[in-house]
Coordinates of all heavy atoms in Angstrom, one line a residue:
Y5 N -23.9 -19.1 0.2 CA -24.5 -18.0 -0.5 C -23.5 -17.2 -1.2 O -22.3 -17.3 -1.0 CB -25.3 -17.1 0.4 CG -24.6 -16.4 1.5 CD1 -24.1 -15.1 1.3 CD2 -24.3 -17.0 2.8 CE1 -23.5 -14.4 2.3 CE2 -23.6 -16.3 3.7 CZ -23.2 -15.0 3.5 OH -22.5 -14.3 4.4
Y6 N -23.9 -16.4 -2.2 CA -22.9 -15.7 -3.1 C -22.8 -14.3 -2.6 O -23.8 -13.6 -2.4 CB -23.4 -15.8 -4.5 CG -22.6 -15.0 -5.5 CD1 -21.4 -15.5 -5.9 CD2 -23.0 -13.8 -5.9 CE1 -20.6 -14.8 -6.8 CE2 -22.2 -13.0 -6.8 CZ -21.0 -13.5 -7.2 OH -20.3 -12.8 -8.1
I7 N -21.6 -13.8 -2.6 CA -21.3 -12.4 -2.2 C -20.6 -11.8 -3.4 O -19.5 -12.3 -3.8 CB -20.5 -12.3 -0.9 CG1 -21.3 -12.8 0.2 CG2 -20.1 -10.8 -0.7 CD1 -20.6 -12.8 1.5
E8 N -21.1 -10.7 -4.0 CA -20.5 -10.1 -5.1 C -19.3 -9.3 -4.5 O -19.4 -8.5 -3.6 CB -21.4 -9.1 -5.8 CG -20.8 -8.4 -6.9 CD -21.6 -8.5 -8.2 OE1 -22.6 -9.2 -8.2 OE2 -21.2 -7.9 -9.1
Q9 N -18.1 -9.5 -5.1 CA -16.9 -8.8 -4.7 C -16.4 -8.0 -5.9 O -16.5 -8.3 -7.0 CB -15.9 -9.8 -4.3 CG -16.2 -10.6 -3.0 CD -15.1 -11.5 -2.6 OE1 -14.2 -11.7 -3.3 NE2 -15.3 -12.1 -1.4
E10 N -15.7 -6.9 -5.5 CA -15.0 -6.1 -6.5 C -13.8 -6.8 -7.1 O -13.3 -7.7 -6.4 CB -14.6 -4.8 -5.8 CG -15.7 -3.9 -5.4 CD -15.2 -2.6 -4.8 OE1 -14.0 -2.2 -5.1 OE2 -15.9 -2.0 -4.0
P11 N -13.5 -6.5 -8.3 CA -12.3 -7.1 -8.9 C -11.0 -6.9 -8.0 O -11.0 -5.9 -7.3 CB -12.2 -6.5 -10.2 CG -13.4 -5.7 -10.5 CD -14.1 -5.5 -9.2
S12 N -10.1 -7.7 -8.1 CA -8.8 -7.6 -7.4 C -8.1 -6.3 -7.8 O -7.8 -6.1 -8.9 CB -8.0 -8.8 -7.6 OG -6.7 -8.7 -7.0
I13 N -7.7 -5.5 -6.8 CA -6.9 -4.4 -7.0 C -5.5 -4.8 -7.5 O -5.0 -4.2 -8.5 CB -6.7 -3.5 -5.7 CG1 -8.1 -3.0 -5.3 CG2 -5.8 -2.4 -5.9 CD1 -8.1 -2.4 -3.9
A14 N -5.0 -5.8 -6.9 CA -3.6 -6.3 -7.2 C -3.5 -6.8 -8.6 O -2.4 -6.9 -9.2 CB -3.1 -7.3 -6.2
A15 N -4.6 -7.2 -9.2 CA -4.6 -7.7 -10.6 C -4.6 -6.6 -11.6 O -4.5 -6.9 -12.8 CB -5.9 -8.6 -10.8
D16 N -4.8 -5.4 -11.2 CA -4.8 -4.3 -12.2 C -3.4 -4.2 -12.9 O -2.4 -4.2 -12.2 CB -5.0 -3.0 -11.4 CG -5.1 -1.7 -12.3 OD1 -4.4 -1.7 -13.3 OD2 -5.9 -0.8 -11.9
P17 N -3.4 -4.2 -14.2 CA -2.1 -4.3 -14.9 C -1.2 -3.1 -14.7 O 0.0 -3.1 -14.9 CB -2.5 -4.4 -16.4 CG -3.9 -3.9 -16.4 CD -4.6 -4.1 -15.1
L18 N -1.7 -2.0 -14.1 CA -0.9 -0.8 -13.9 C -0.2 -0.8 -12.5 O 0.8 -0.1 -12.3 CB -1.8 0.5 -13.9 CG -2.4 0.8 -15.3 CD1 -3.3 2.0 -15.2 CD2 -1.4 0.9 -16.4
I19 N -0.6 -1.7 -11.6 CA 0.0 -1.8 -10.3 C 1.5 -2.0 -10.3 O 2.2 -1.3 -9.6 CB -0.7 -2.8 -9.4 CG1 -2.2 -2.4 -9.2 CG2 0.0 -3.0 -8.1 CD1 -2.4 -1.2 -8.4
P20 N 2.0 -2.9 -11.1 CA 3.5 -3.1 -11.1 C 4.3 -1.9 -11.6 O 5.4 -1.8 -11.3 CB 3.7 -4.3 -12.0 CG 2.4 -5.0 -12.1 CD 1.3 -3.9 -11.9
Y21 N 3.6 -1.0 -12.3 CA 4.3 0.2 -12.8 C 4.2 1.4 -11.9 O 4.7 2.5 -12.2 CB 3.8 0.6 -14.2 CG 4.0 -0.5 -15.2 CD1 3.0 -1.4 -15.5 CD2 5.3 -0.8 -15.7 CE1 3.2 -2.5 -16.4 CE2 5.5 -1.8 -16.6 CZ 4.4 -2.6 -16.9 OH 4.7 -3.7 -17.8
M22 N 3.5 1.3 -10.8 CA 3.3 2.4 -9.8 C 4.6 2.6 -9.1 O 5.4 1.7 -8.8 CB 2.2 2.1 -8.8 CG 0.8 2.1 -9.4 SD -0.4 1.7 -8.2 CE -0.5 3.2 -7.2
R23 N 4.9 3.9 -8.7 CA 6.0 4.2 -7.9 C 5.8 3.6 -6.5 O 4.7 3.3 -6.1 CB 6.2 5.7 -7.8 CG 6.6 6.4 -9.1 CD 7.0 7.8 -8.9 NE 6.3 8.5 -7.8 CZ 5.4 9.5 -7.9 NH1 5.0 9.9 -9.1 NH2 4.8 10.0 -6.9
S24 N 6.9 3.4 -5.8 CA 6.8 2.8 -4.5 C 6.0 3.6 -3.5 O 5.2 3.0 -2.7 CB 8.3 2.6 -3.9 OG 9.0 1.7 -4.7
D25 N 6.1 4.9 -3.6 CA 5.3 5.7 -2.7 C 3.8 5.7 -3.0 O 3.0 5.7 -2.1 CB 5.8 7.2 -2.6 CG 5.7 7.9 -4.0 OD1 5.9 7.2 -5.0 OD2 5.4 9.1 -4.0
E26 N 3.5 5.6 -4.2 CA 2.1 5.4 -4.6 C 1.5 4.1 -4.2 O 0.4 4.0 -3.7 CB 1.9 5.6 -6.1 CG 2.3 6.9 -6.7 CD 2.3 7.0 -8.2 OE1 2.6 5.9 -8.8 OE2 1.9 8.0 -8.7
L27 N 2.4 3.1 -4.3 CA 1.9 1.7 -3.9 C 1.8 1.7 -2.4 O 0.8 1.1 -1.9 CB 3.0 0.7 -4.4 CG 2.6 -0.7 -4.4 CD1 1.3 -1.0 -5.2 CD2 3.7 -1.5 -5.1
A28 N 2.6 2.3 -1.6 CA 2.5 2.4 -0.2 C 1.2 3.1 0.2 O 0.5 2.7 1.2 CB 3.7 3.1 0.4
K29 N 0.8 4.2 -0.5 CA -0.4 4.9 -0.2 C -1.6 3.9 -0.5 O -2.6 3.9 0.3 CB -0.6 6.1 -1.0 CG 0.3 7.3 -0.6 CD 0.0 8.5 -1.5 CE 0.9 9.6 -1.1 NZ 0.7 10.8 -2.0
L30 N -1.5 3.2 -1.5 CA -2.6 2.2 -1.9 C -2.7 1.1 -0.8 O -3.9 0.8 -0.4 CB -2.4 1.6 -3.2 CG -3.5 0.7 -3.8 CD1 -4.8 1.4 -3.9 CD2 -3.0 0.2 -5.2
I31 N -1.6 0.7 -0.3 CA -1.6 -0.3 0.8 C -2.3 0.3 2.0 O -3.1 -0.4 2.7 CB -0.2 -0.8 1.1 CG1 0.3 -1.6 -0.1 CG2 -0.1 -1.6 2.4 CD1 1.8 -1.9 -0.1
K32 N -1.9 1.5 2.4 CA -2.5 2.1 3.6 C -4.1 2.3 3.4 O -4.8 2.1 4.3 CB -1.9 3.5 3.8 CG -0.6 3.5 4.5 CD -0.8 3.1 5.9 CE 0.4 3.6 6.7 NZ 0.4 3.1 8.1
A33 N -4.5 2.7 2.2 CA -5.9 2.9 1.9 C -6.7 1.5 2.0 O -7.8 1.5 2.5 CB -6.1 3.5 0.5
T34 N -6.0 0.5 1.5 CA -6.6 -0.8 1.6 C -6.7 -1.3 3.0 O -7.7 -1.9 3.4 CB -5.8 -1.8 0.7 OG1 -5.7 -1.3 -0.6 CG2 -6.5 -3.2 0.7
E35 N -5.7 -1.0 3.8 CA -5.7 -1.4 5.2 C -6.9 -0.7 5.9 O -7.6 -1.3 6.8 CB -4.4 -1.1 5.9 CG -4.3 -1.5 7.3 CD -3.0 -1.2 8.0 OE1 -2.3 -0.3 7.5 OE2 -2.7 -1.9 9.0
K36 N -7.0 0.6 5.6 CA -8.1 1.4 6.3 C -9.5 0.8 5.9 O -10.3 0.6 6.8 CB -8.0 2.8 5.8 CG -9.1 3.7 6.4 CD -8.9 5.2 6.0 CE -10.0 6.0 6.6 NZ -10.0 7.3 6.1
K37 N -9.7 0.4 4.6 CA -10.9 -0.2 4.2 C -11.1 -1.5 4.9 O -12.3 -1.9 5.3 CB -11.0 -0.4 2.7 CG -11.1 0.9 1.9 CD -11.1 0.5 0.4 CE -11.1 1.7 -0.5 NZ -11.0 1.4 -1.9
M38 N -10.1 -2.3 5.1 CA -10.2 -3.6 5.8 C -10.6 -3.4 7.2 O -11.5 -4.1 7.7 CB -8.8 -4.3 5.7 CG -8.8 -5.6 6.5 SD -7.1 -6.3 6.7 CE -6.4 -5.2 7.9
L39 N -10.0 -2.5 7.9 CA -10.4 -2.2 9.3 C -11.8 -1.7 9.4 O -12.5 -2.1 10.4 CB -9.4 -1.2 10.0 CG -8.0 -1.8 10.1 CD1 -7.0 -0.6 10.6 CD2 -7.9 -3.0 11.0
E40 N -12.2 -0.9 8.5 CA -13.6 -0.4 8.5 C -14.6 -1.5 8.3 O -15.6 -1.6 8.9 CB -13.8 0.7 7.4 CG -13.1 2.0 7.8 CD -13.1 3.0 6.6 OE1 -13.5 2.6 5.5 OE2 -12.6 4.1 6.9
A41 N -14.3 -2.4 7.4 CA -15.1 -3.6 7.1 C -15.2 -4.5 8.4 O -16.3 -4.9 8.7 CB -14.6 -4.4 5.9
A42 N -14.1 -4.6 9.1 CA -14.1 -5.4 10.3 C -14.9 -4.8 11.4 O -15.7 -5.4 12.1 CB -12.7 -5.7 10.8
D43 N -14.9 -3.4 11.5 CA -15.7 -2.7 12.4 C -17.2 -2.9 12.2 O -18.0 -2.9 13.1 CB -15.3 -1.2 12.4 CG -14.0 -0.9 13.1 OD1 -13.5 -1.8 13.9 OD2 -13.5 0.2 12.9
R44 N -17.5 -3.0 10.9 CA -18.9 -3.2 10.5 C -19.3 -4.7 10.6 O -20.4 -5.1 10.2 CB -19.2 -2.8 9.1 CG -19.1 -1.3 8.8 CD -19.5 -0.9 7.5 NE -19.0 -1.7 6.4 CZ -17.9 -1.5 5.7 NH1 -17.1 -0.5 6.0 NH2 -17.6 -2.3 4.7
L45 N -18.4 -5.5 11.1 CA -18.6 -7.0 11.2 C -18.7 -7.7 9.9 O -19.3 -8.7 9.8 CB -19.7 -7.3 12.2 CG -19.7 -6.7 13.6 CD1 -20.9 -7.1 14.4 CD2 -18.4 -7.1 14.3
N46 N -18.2 -7.1 8.9 CA -18.2 -7.7 7.5 C -16.9 -8.4 7.3 O -16.0 -7.9 6.7 CB -18.5 -6.6 6.5 CG -18.7 -7.2 5.1 OD1 -18.4 -8.4 4.9 ND2 -19.3 -6.4 4.2
F47 N -16.8 -9.5 7.9 CA -15.5 -10.3 8.0 C -15.1 -10.9 6.6 O -13.9 -11.0 6.4 CB -15.5 -11.3 9.1 CG -15.8 -10.7 10.4 CD1 -16.9 -11.1 11.1 CD2 -14.9 -9.8 11.0 CE1 -17.1 -10.5 12.4 CE2 -15.1 -9.3 12.2 CZ -16.2 -9.6 12.9
I48 N -16.1 -11.1 5.8 CA -15.8 -11.7 4.4 C -15.1 -10.6 3.6 O -14.1 -10.8 3.0 CB -17.0 -12.2 3.8 CG1 -17.5 -13.4 4.5 CG2 -16.7 -12.5 2.3 CD1 -18.9 -14.0 4.0
E49 N -15.6 -9.4 3.7 CA -15.0 -8.3 2.9 C -13.7 -7.9 3.5 O -12.7 -7.7 2.8 CB -15.9 -7.0 3.0 CG -15.3 -5.8 2.2 CD -16.2 -4.6 2.3 OE1 -17.3 -4.6 2.9 OE2 -15.7 -3.5 1.9
A50 N -13.6 -7.9 4.9 CA -12.3 -7.7 5.5 C -11.2 -8.7 5.1 O -10.1 -8.3 4.9 CB -12.5 -7.7 7.1
D51 N -11.6 -9.9 5.0 CA -10.7 -11.0 4.6 C -10.2 -10.7 3.2 O -9.0 -10.9 2.8 CB -11.3 -12.4 4.8 CG -10.3 -13.5 4.4 OD1 -9.2 -13.5 5.1 OD2 -10.6 -14.3 3.5
H52 N -11.2 -10.4 2.3 CA -10.8 -10.1 0.9 C -9.8 -9.0 0.8 O -8.8 -9.0 0.1 CB -12.1 -9.8 0.1 CG -11.9 -9.3 -1.3 ND1 -11.4 -10.1 -2.3 CD2 -12.0 -8.1 -1.8 CE1 -11.3 -9.4 -3.4 NE2 -11.6 -8.2 -3.1
L53 N -10.1 -7.9 1.6 CA -9.2 -6.8 1.6 C -7.8 -7.1 2.2 O -6.8 -6.6 1.8 CB -9.8 -5.6 2.3 CG -11.0 -5.0 1.6 CD1 -11.8 -4.1 2.5 CD2 -10.6 -4.2 0.4
K54 N -7.8 -8.0 3.2 CA -6.5 -8.4 3.8 C -5.7 -9.1 2.7 O -4.5 -8.9 2.6 CB -6.8 -9.3 5.0 CG -5.5 -9.8 5.6 CD -5.8 -10.8 6.7 CE -4.5 -11.3 7.3 NZ -4.7 -12.5 8.1
K55 N -6.3 -10.0 2.0 CA -5.6 -10.7 0.9 C -5.1 -9.7 -0.2 O -4.0 -9.9 -0.7 CB -6.5 -11.7 0.3 CG -6.8 -12.9 1.2 CD -7.7 -13.9 0.6 CE -8.1 -15.0 1.6 NZ -9.1 -15.8 1.2
E56 N -5.9 -8.7 -0.5 CA -5.5 -7.7 -1.4 C -4.3 -6.9 -0.9 O -3.3 -6.7 -1.6 CB -6.6 -6.6 -1.6 CG -7.7 -7.1 -2.5 CD -7.4 -7.2 -3.9 OE1 -6.6 -6.4 -4.5 OE2 -7.8 -8.2 -4.6
M57 N -4.3 -6.6 0.4 CA -3.2 -5.8 1.0 C -1.9 -6.7 1.0 O -0.9 -6.2 0.7 CB -3.6 -5.4 2.4 CG -2.6 -4.5 3.1 SD -3.2 -4.0 4.7 CE -3.2 -5.5 5.6
E58 N -2.1 -8.0 1.3 CA -0.9 -8.8 1.3 C -0.3 -8.9 -0.1 O 0.9 -8.9 -0.3 CB -1.3 -10.2 1.8 CG -1.6 -10.2 3.3 CD -2.2 -11.5 3.8 OE1 -2.5 -12.4 3.0 OE2 -2.3 -11.6 5.0
S59 N -1.2 -9.0 -1.1 CA -0.7 -9.1 -2.5 C 0.1 -7.8 -2.9 O 1.1 -7.8 -3.5 CB -1.9 -9.3 -3.5 OG -2.4 -10.5 -3.3
L60 N -0.5 -6.6 -2.5 CA 0.1 -5.4 -2.8 C 1.5 -5.2 -2.1 O 2.4 -4.7 -2.6 CB -0.8 -4.2 -2.4 CG -2.1 -4.1 -3.2 CD1 -3.0 -3.1 -2.6 CD2 -1.7 -3.6 -4.7
K61 N 1.5 -5.7 -0.8 CA 2.8 -5.7 -0.1 C 3.8 -6.6 -0.8 O 5.0 -6.2 -0.8 CB 2.6 -6.1 1.3 CG 1.9 -5.1 2.2 CD 1.8 -5.6 3.6 CE 1.2 -4.6 4.5 NZ 1.0 -5.1 5.9
Q62 N 3.4 -7.7 -1.3 CA 4.4 -8.6 -2.0 C 4.9 -7.9 -3.3 O 6.1 -8.0 -3.6 CB 3.7 -9.9 -2.4 CG 4.6 -10.9 -2.9 CD 5.6 -11.4 -1.9 OE1 5.3 -11.6 -0.8 NE2 6.8 -11.6 -2.4
I63 N 4.0 -7.2 -4.0 CA 4.4 -6.5 -5.2 C 5.4 -5.4 -4.8 O 6.4 -5.2 -5.5 CB 3.2 -5.9 -5.9 CG1 2.3 -7.0 -6.5 CG2 3.6 -4.9 -7.0 CD1 1.0 -6.6 -7.0
L64 N 5.1 -4.7 -3.8 CA 6.1 -3.6 -3.3 C 7.4 -4.2 -2.9 O 8.5 -3.7 -3.3 CB 5.5 -2.9 -2.1 CG 6.3 -1.7 -1.5 CD1 6.6 -0.7 -2.6 CD2 5.6 -1.1 -0.3
A65 N 7.4 -5.3 -2.2 CA 8.6 -6.0 -1.8 C 9.5 -6.5 -3.0 O 10.7 -6.5 -2.9 CB 8.3 -7.1 -0.9
N66 N 8.8 -6.9 -4.1 CA 9.5 -7.4 -5.2 C 9.9 -6.4 -6.2 O 10.6 -6.7 -7.2 CB 8.6 -8.5 -5.9 CG 8.5 -9.7 -5.1 OD1 9.3 -10.0 -4.3 ND2 7.4 -10.4 -5.3
K67 N 9.6 -5.1 -6.0 CA 9.9 -4.1 -6.9 C 11.5 -3.9 -6.9 O 12.1 -3.8 -5.9 CB 9.3 -2.7 -6.6 CG 7.8 -2.7 -6.9 CD 7.2 -1.3 -6.6 CE 7.5 -0.3 -7.7 NZ 7.0 -0.6 -9.0
T68 N 12.0 -3.9 -8.1 CA 13.5 -3.7 -8.2 C 13.8 -2.3 -8.4 O 14.9 -1.8 -8.0 CB 14.1 -4.5 -9.4 OG1 13.4 -4.2 -10.6 CG2 13.9 -6.0 -9.1
Y69 N 12.9 -1.5 -8.9 CA 13.1 -0.1 -9.2 C 12.3 0.7 -8.1 O 11.1 0.6 -8.0 CB 12.6 0.3 -10.6 CG 12.6 1.8 -10.8 CD1 13.8 2.4 -11.0 CD2 11.5 2.6 -10.8 CE1 13.9 3.8 -11.2 CE2 11.5 3.9 -11.0 CZ 12.7 4.5 -11.2 OH 12.8 5.9 -11.4
K70 N 13.1 1.3 -7.2 CA 12.4 2.1 -6.2 C 12.5 3.6 -6.5 O 13.6 4.1 -6.9 CB 13.2 1.9 -4.8 CG 13.2 0.5 -4.4 CD 12.0 0.0 -3.7 CE 12.1 -1.4 -3.2 NZ 11.0 -1.9 -2.6
S71 N 11.4 4.2 -6.5 CA 11.4 5.7 -6.8 C 10.8 6.5 -5.7 O 10.3 6.0 -4.7 CB 10.6 5.9 -8.1 OG 9.3 5.4 -8.0

């Protein structure tokens, strides 16, 4: 069956230009949403958010300019 998903946060063209502290806040917010989805037993949404969080963490790790 088909589940409508929101567009990828990590695909937003502004994400690579965010400061490190802003990106860290976004990662925390995504993690919170992931845990809430898992609590509601919505494992498909939780998995989607986990992948988003991993992508955001990778972007943060690859940032050469830390602010």
Side-chain angles (χ1 to χ4, degrees):
Y5 64 93
Y6 176 77
I7 296 177
E8 179 127 359
Q9 295 182 352
E10 293 182 23
S12 172
I13 296 168
D16 186 325
L18 297 178
I19 295 295
Y21 299 102
M22 291 177 76
R23 293 190 327 250
S24 296
D25 62 322
E26 294 172 327
L27 199 49
K29 284 182 184 179
L30 184 57
I31 290 168
K32 281 288 205 191
T34 304
E35 181 179 24
K36 182 179 178 187
K37 289 179 186 178
M38 177 191 72
L39 295 172
E40 289 170 354
D43 285 344
R44 292 190 315 270
L45 304 179
N46 188 342
F47 300 117
I48 294 173
E49 180 182 353
D51 183 59
H52 173 71
L53 290 165
K54 179 183 176 196
K55 290 175 185 173
E56 285 289 322
M57 188 175 65
E58 290 170 352
S59 294
L60 292 169
K61 284 182 178 181
Q62 187 66 40
I63 292 169
L64 181 60
N66 289 333
K67 286 185 80 61
T68 55
Y69 174 73
K70 303 278 184 183
S71 55

